Amino acid sequence: MADRILVPVDFSPMSKRALRAALSMAKRSPVEIHLLHVIPEYEVSSAFHIALPERAEIETQAGRWSEKAFETYLRGEDLGGTAPVQVVRYGNPARVICDYADEIGAEVILIASHGRSGFERAVFGSVAEKVLRTCRQPVMVVKGEV
């Protein structure tokens, strides 16, 4: 049984399913659950000449939003005495997830898959697939109907 589980969270119903799987594991044996929300870092071409706020301001605003989103996300969940660690990072989601898993010494990553295919997958990619391919930790992919 793992002692430390990382659950990447995008606040979707599917990521809540991954959270519930982690909580189920925690009922069997004491486990530390880390919930990681990654705010994607987007690059804007200088050809557009768009005045954007400074990165620090974007991160501050996104962090405030994420705190409220975590509160809503966890409301009504039976945490069974577990107090998940809530973390917000900024950057490339798959890379940040793998780096954070290394940083905390996660023994397993429990990640949701949205099951995108075709055009949608080509445009958005699959964070779960990238995590599965690039992280050193075992990765459990949670999928299916919520």
Side-chain angles (χ1 to χ4, degrees), residues 39-94:
I39 299 163
E41 183 175 59
Y42 297 103
E43 291 186 26
V44 177
S45 171
S46 59
F48 292 111
H49 302 291
I50 299 172
L52 293 175
E54 293 295 320
R55 178 180 169 146
E57 178 61 24
I58 292 171
E59 289 181 20
T60 300
Q61 293 298 326
R64 287 185 193 134
W65 174 86
S66 296
E67 286 175 19
K68 291 176 185 173
F70 267 124
E71 186 179 311
T72 302
Y73 180 77
L74 293 173
R75 188 176 299 129
E77 288 298 318
D78 178 11
L79 301 179
T82 303
V85 176
Q86 301 168 32
V87 178
V88 177
R89 295 280 170 94
Y90 190 77
N92 174 287

Side-chain angles (χ1 to χ4, degrees), residues 81-107:
T82 303
V85 176
Q86 301 168 32
V87 178
V88 177
R89 295 280 170 94
Y90 190 77
N92 174 287
R95 188 174 314 125
V96 171
I97 291 166
C98 293
D99 289 347
Y100 186 72
D102 288 341
E103 179 183 322
I104 65 167
E107 283 131 331

Side-chain angles (χ1 to χ4, degrees), residues 2-16:
D3 291 327
R4 190 168 294 121
I5 299 172
L6 172 57
V7 181
V9 173
D10 64 3
F11 304 115
S12 70
M14 285 307 300
S15 72
K16 188 164 269 200

